[in-house]
Amino acid sequence: MNQRRNRNRNRSAFTLLELMLVLAILVVLAGVVSYNIFGAQDDAYAKTTLTQLQNLKQAVTMYKLKVNEMPDSLESLVNGPSDPNKKAMFGSAILEEVPKDAWGNDITYSLNGNKFEIRSAGIDGQVNSDDDLVVAG
């Protein structure tokens, strides 16, 4: 009877192995949850940046309608054309400032005749890589 009471008393605590196993399970769960959260954040950044690029495309179109030519740069959407004769046609600024993408990178604009491309470098910050987000007009 005394031996049984000692066995029950010794068994009332967790062993080190059991504690390590529970800790390992919690670490794995935390890793899975954090991976899913950060992946969702990158998706949200990409969607936000695509929306910004679409808005810039509309601003470029508005500039063309106002001035009857394509802007030289995205800064032209803020400051207007450098030609004083066209500046009068421009009127007020289309944008208050040129935005950055959701990752804080500059958005690039390239013009080829009447075609243009607005590009975000994406999550890696490197232009012309697989994760770039592009809107063309």
Side-chain angles (χ1 to χ4, degrees):
M1 173 105 171
N2 212 6
Q3 195 175 23
R4 181 182 272 177
R5 186 181 296 166
N6 284 341
R7 221 184 301 164
N8 285 341
R9 191 180 313 154
N10 290 340
R11 189 65 188 136
S12 64
F14 292 108
T15 64
L16 182 60
L17 181 62
E18 291 169 333
L19 289 175
M20 297 281 287
L21 182 62
V22 169
L23 186 61
I25 291 170
L26 290 175
V27 167
V28 168
L29 285 175
V32 168
V33 168
S34 65
Y35 176 78
N36 287 332
I37 288 173
F38 290 123
Q41 183 176 7
D42 287 338
D43 287 345
Y45 280 174
K47 288 178 183 175
T48 299
T49 299
L50 277 174
T51 301
Q52 284 178 317
L53 297 179
Q54 290 292 339
N55 289 340
L56 285 172
K57 179 180 178 180
Q58 291 176 346
V60 168
T61 303
M62 185 179 294
Y63 180 97
K64 185 174 188 228
L65 291 172
K66 283 178 139 185
V67 182
N68 202 26
E69 69 179 21
M70 299 298 287
D72 296 330
S73 67
L74 292 177
E75 286 75 23
S76 297
L77 302 173
V78 177
N79 303 322
S82 54
D83 182 358
N85 296 329
K86 300 222 179 210
K87 192 123 177 143
M89 295 168 51
F90 180 69
S92 62
I94 297 171
L95 297 177
E96 291 182 19
E97 65 181 2
V98 178
K100 293 188 178 289
D101 68 11
W103 296 279
N105 302 316
D106 290 330
I107 294 173
T108 60
Y109 168 82
S110 59
L111 181 62
N112 185 9
N114 279 337
K115 300 290 182 188
F116 64 90
E117 179 182 272
I118 305 171
R119 178 181 295 265
S120 163
I123 190 170
D124 67 357
Q126 302 294 319
V127 178
N128 295 325
S129 61
D130 291 339
D131 69 336
D132 288 6
L133 302 170
V134 179
V135 171

